């Protein structure tokens, strides 16, 4: 009886972990839109921006200087000066790094935070929902 319960627990864990990026409707694997900017809803007077590249890089920005960014601007090394031109006051907190895919789940390598693909147009990261701009 114990072995049956253990086998059932293992089987349910495998099912849950393997369905990470599967679309509930047809069972296909969901992938994020690469090289396109995702933006969160307005939080106070600020926005979060997120961009994923095919090469395994992610770019995250938390700012109240702008409400829209292009992929080229977000990947730029001069991002802070670009934001300063858009608006002279405010704060910006850029972060970038590599992400890894493990069992069809995307994680940032630095903090091992999960990037969950919820649909073709939205993802969830750091407890915030991001949608394509």
């Amino acid at each position: 009886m114990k072995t049956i319960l253990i086998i059932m627990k293992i089987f349910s864990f495998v099912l849950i972990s393997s369905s990470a990026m599967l679309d509930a409707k047809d069972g296909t694997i969901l992938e994020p839109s690469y090289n396109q900017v995702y933006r969160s809803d307005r939080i106070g007077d600020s926005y979060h921006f997120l961009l994923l590249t095919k090469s395994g890089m992610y770019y995250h920005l938390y700012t109240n200087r702008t409400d829209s960014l292009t992929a080229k601007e977000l990947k730029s090394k001069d991002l802070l000066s670009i934001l300063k031109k858009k608006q002279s006051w405010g704060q910006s907190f850029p972060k970038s790094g590599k992400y890894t895919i493990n069992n069809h789940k995307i994680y940032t390598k630095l903090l091992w935070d999960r990037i969950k693909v919820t649909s073709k147009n939205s993802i969830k990261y750091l407890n915030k929902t991001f949608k394509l701009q």
Side-chain angles (χ1 to χ4, degrees):
M1 188 66 169
K2 277 187 174 180
T3 56
I4 292 174
L5 288 174
I6 292 171
I7 291 172
M8 288 178 63
K9 283 183 182 181
I10 292 171
F11 183 70
S12 64
F13 177 75
V14 168
L15 280 177
I16 290 169
S17 64
S18 67
S19 64
M21 293 175 29
L22 295 180
D23 188 359
K25 295 177 185 166
D26 59 3
T28 59
I29 294 176
L30 288 175
E31 287 195 12
S33 297
Y34 295 105
N35 294 319
Q36 292 188 9
V37 178
Y38 288 90
R39 186 188 77 187
S40 70
D41 290 332
R42 188 177 177 140
I43 301 167
D45 64 347
S46 303
Y47 292 95
H48 287 264
F49 295 92
L50 183 68
L51 176 107
L52 301 172
T53 65
K54 277 270 195 194
S55 63
M57 292 293 294
Y58 77 94
Y59 300 88
H60 177 251
L61 172 70
Y62 174 63
T63 186
N64 61 352
R65 289 184 180 239
T66 186
D67 60 354
S68 66
L69 278 174
T70 65
K72 186 176 179 181
E73 289 172 334
L74 193 53
K75 289 195 275 185
S76 173
K77 297 214 184 278
D78 297 326
L79 176 63
L80 295 177
S81 62
I82 291 170
L83 291 171
K84 200 174 269 191
K85 288 177 187 174
K86 290 186 177 223
Q87 183 170 298
S88 61
W89 61 270
Q91 297 179 334
S92 300
F93 303 97
K95 182 173 63 170
S96 64
K98 290 204 162 267
Y99 67 85
T100 185
I101 298 176
N102 185 8
N103 292 332
H104 301 292
K105 296 178 185 177
I106 303 172
Y107 297 96
T108 61
K109 278 194 170 179
L110 179 65
L111 300 173
W112 206 248
D113 292 319
R114 173 121 186 255
I115 300 172
K116 184 177 182 183
V117 180
T118 55
S119 73
K120 287 183 178 181
N121 298 326
S122 68
I123 56 178
K124 195 165 188 164
Y125 177 58
L126 298 176
N127 292 329
K128 290 160 192 64
T129 301
F130 292 80
K131 296 179 182 165
L132 283 176
Q133 289 194 108

